[in-house]
Amino acid sequence: MLGCVIHGRGDLRVEELPTPSPGPGEVLVAVRYGGICGSDLHYWRHGGVGDFRLREPMVLGHEVVGTVLAHGSPAPRGVPAGAEVAVHPATPCGACPECARGRRNICRDARYLGSAARTPHVQGGFAAGIVVPADQVRPLPAGLPSRRAALAEPLSVALHAVRRAGPVAGRHVLVTGAGPIGCLVVAAAKAAGAGQVTVTDLLPAALGYARAAGADTTVLAADPADPADPARPDEAEADVAVEASGAAAGLDACLRRVRRGGTVVQLGMLPPGQSPFAGNLVVGREIELRGAFRFDAEFDDALALLAGQPAFDGLISAVAPVSEAESAFALAADRERSCKVLLDFAS
């Protein structure tokens, strides 16, 4: 079977991999679609994401959907062979203090598909067949096509970020960064009842995707190093800001444009090491700065939301066969030409 293996910076290979066999409590999933995530692009372009660096070859991918082919023995209940499923990519340890407090998304010993956060790395889902614990697969809701279901993982990240912000119903939400995650934050905020969603980005094409996701106002940022001008009418103060670009300038813009006593959620993974930070604004304006990392139960909510919203299909820019993975990665990295790019493991 074919899989996408990253060997180092710029070294992505499509290789023949052995077909795994499921053990007790596991299922073998024939992967149909895999969404190329920003973290996958970071591994490909930079050899790491945030503080997580590649130390050995790793199968990429954690946004995958497919069909259950086989069970381990004894067969787990509730997931019959032939079922179309989405794969929750996280395996929390269940024993650490964070898991005990219901914060499984920040489990200190979690395994996450396609992650170099630990060594040996956790191999990912960009392979024609993968084995995962049975309790990590979710049958697709009726009416949800598998192609759209490939958005479940990034939409879960967006839903978790919006929930970290607290109640947003009727409020003005600012999102910095209109990449795939930023656009899905727009959709998540609108689903949570946000009264107005404003999105900023450096690229007009990205803002077009943000409007398709439901943004009320889009602002083209001329220079990420320049602070926002509060005098401009399209840059009114926000009640909540979600930083989804992963750039220090985006965080700066959020801190300058959220109201006094407002909330800023840092969702984008910043570059490794120290980042410049307008800490005095946090103090002087009593801004609440919160992190958002991955997700947990939001995965089921994401599938339900996707099932009822065919408009999400507009965020999928292209679907490429796995044999053309490198060109698909290049397209996914070109934000002027794409939003979300999927790999097709059945073509």
Side-chain angles (χ1 to χ4, degrees):
M1 68 175 191
L2 294 180
C4 296
V5 183
I6 188 71
H7 287 258
R9 179 179 177 181
D11 188 3
L12 176 67
R13 308 178 196 178
V14 178
E15 302 178 354
E16 280 287 344
L17 301 175
T19 300
S21 299
E26 296 179 330
V27 293
L28 171 63
V29 176
V31 174
R32 177 60 198 271
Y33 295 114
I36 299 174
C37 177
S39 62
D40 298 319
L41 294 175
H42 276 287
Y43 284 125
W44 173 55
R45 299 169 78 179
H46 309 296
V49 56
D51 294 321
F52 306 149
R53 314 305 297 177
L54 284 170
R55 294 178 175 83
E56 60 188 17
M58 182 178 74
V59 178
L60 289 172
H62 51 265
E63 304 175 4
V64 293
V65 296
T67 303
V68 174
L69 285 185
H71 301 90
S73 181
R77 296 179 179 179
V79 189
E84 288 189 301
V85 295
V87 178
H88 192 307
T91 309
C93 73
C96 69
E98 289 72 33
C99 284
R101 289 195 294 265
R103 303 287 297 277
R104 302 187 340 148
N105 63 299
I106 53 171
C107 167
R108 63 185 63 191
D109 195 29
R111 299 176 61 82
Y112 205 88
L113 293 179
S115 171
R118 58 191 296 159
T119 303
H121 300 336
V122 180
Q123 300 301 308
F126 282 177
I130 61 172
V131 165
V132 294
D135 60 5
Q136 287 178 219
V137 299
R138 306 289 195 275
L140 300 190
L144 177 57
S146 57
R147 173 173 152 153
R148 192 190 312 155
L151 297 174
E153 194 274 353
L155 179 56
S156 301
V157 171
L159 288 170
H160 181 70
V162 170
R163 289 174 183 175
R164 286 285 292 152
V168 300
R171 296 187 173 187
H172 180 192
V173 177
L174 168 68
V175 181
T176 54
I181 292 291
C183 289
L184 290 168
V185 169
V186 172
K190 296 298 283 189
Q196 179 183 353
V197 178
T198 299
V199 183
T200 67
D201 200 278
L202 300 173
L203 299 175
L207 293 176
Y209 284 111
R211 287 189 290 272
D216 300 291
T217 306
T218 56
V219 179
L220 184 64
D223 184 345
D226 290 340
D229 179 0
R232 286 177 54 178
D234 59 357
E235 294 187 349
E237 285 187 332
D239 301 299
V240 170
V242 179
E243 202 302 292
S245 72
L251 175 57
D252 187 78
C254 287
L255 291 172
R256 294 181 187 279
R257 292 186 47 191
V258 77
R259 64 170 175 79
R260 291 174 179 268
T263 301
V264 172
V265 177
Q266 180 62 42
L267 173 59
M269 190 70 78
L270 295 167
Q274 295 184 345
S275 297
F277 167 57
N280 284 341
L281 294 178
V282 176
V283 175
R285 300 182 184 181
E286 287 202 350
I287 295 169
E288 293 200 30
L289 178 58
R290 303 173 182 175
F293 187 62
R294 297 176 179 167
F295 57 90
D296 187 21
E298 290 90 352
F299 196 71
D300 299 291
D301 299 328
L303 288 169
L305 183 57
L306 287 167
Q309 297 289 338
F312 281 104
D313 293 338
L315 299 181
I316 299 174
S317 306
V319 180
V322 63
S323 59
E324 299 174 11
E326 188 151 14
S327 61
F329 269 62
L331 177 60
D334 187 346
R335 297 185 59 240
E336 292 188 342
R337 295 195 298 138
S338 70
C339 186
K340 174 60 70 174
V341 176
L342 306 184
L343 293 175
D344 186 343
F345 290 83
S347 60

